[in-house]
Amino acid sequence: EILKKELPEALFISSRLNLPLKFDYNLEQIGADRIANASAACIEHGDNVVVVSIGTAVCVDVVREKVFKWGAIFPGFHLMFSSLSEGTSAIPLVTLDEIPPGFPRRDSQECVRAGVFYSVLGGIRQVLGQVEGSCSVVLTGGDAEILKDSLDFAIYDSDLTFKGMIAIY
């Protein structure tokens, strides 16, 4: 609200703008990042697309025939690591320095690293399994590069959000 007051000429992305897609979704609860990502994905990859944005949170958003239909949101890597560390007394803060190798893991930090990695990957795969019909899948977000090889059927686009902002502008 402060920025809107201080920068009245600025364009703030919202579902109220003239966008390249429509919504079958609660418009009061959709963030500008999700709108920008879905808009760019429709423009670049077709009318039926799933955007998987991997950052602090993982957002999996489904667009059908240029209508934003539904999504799922769950914690990303760093949020899971910090939650485990803060919520337990024996687990230190771990980071995902590299993609963990296969199992078995015989060290607590490696177990946490593997558990978080496969939780995020498995969550994405489970949500994608709920999508009916064929569609393009686009990965974006600060941590998307970590999973691009594990989700090799998806299109990796690190600039999707910026492309959406430009397209909306």
Side-chain angles (χ1 to χ4, degrees):
E1 293 306 313
I2 292 170
L3 285 175
K4 286 179 182 177
K5 187 182 283 184
E6 294 296 319
L7 302 168
E9 69 284 355
L11 175 68
F12 290 87
I13 294 175
S14 76
S15 59
R16 293 179 183 87
L17 298 174
N18 183 20
L19 299 169
L21 67 159
K22 303 294 180 211
F23 296 87
D24 182 12
Y25 194 86
N26 183 339
L27 298 180
E28 299 302 317
Q29 295 185 350
I30 186 165
D33 57 336
R34 294 171 74 198
I35 293 169
N37 287 339
S39 296
C42 280
I43 291 168
E44 294 202 357
H45 303 289
D47 298 353
N48 298 305
V49 65
V50 177
V51 176
V52 180
S53 178
I54 307 166
T56 303
V58 176
C59 297
V60 182
D61 294 318
V62 178
V63 178
R64 285 286 183 207
E65 297 178 11
K66 291 191 178 182
V67 177
F68 190 106
K69 297 299 247 180
W70 61 272
I73 302 172
F74 51 94
F77 295 116
H78 304 288
L79 197 53
M80 282 194 199
F81 286 132
S82 64
S83 176
L84 280 168
S85 177
E86 290 173 17
T88 63
S89 60
I91 298 176
L93 182 60
V94 177
T95 60
L96 190 62
D97 303 323
E98 60 185 39
I99 295 173
F103 292 98
R105 303 284 78 211
R106 291 186 169 85
D107 155 308
S108 291
Q109 288 187 358
E110 288 181 0
C111 288
V112 169
R113 193 171 287 117
V116 168
F117 176 82
Y118 288 109
S119 292
V120 172
L121 178 60
I124 292 168
R125 286 184 172 158
Q126 281 294 114
V127 174
L128 291 176
Q130 301 300 310
V131 177
E132 296 176 354
S134 65
C135 58
S136 299
V137 177
V138 182
L139 296 179
T140 195
D143 288 333
E145 190 169 5
I146 295 168
L147 288 176
K148 71 180 182 179
D149 292 335
S150 298
L151 299 167
D152 59 357
F153 54 86
I155 301 158
Y156 172 65
D157 188 340
S158 63
D159 297 324
L160 190 70
T161 307
F162 297 112
K163 291 175 181 177
M165 292 166 61
I166 291 167
I168 291 168
Y169 178 76

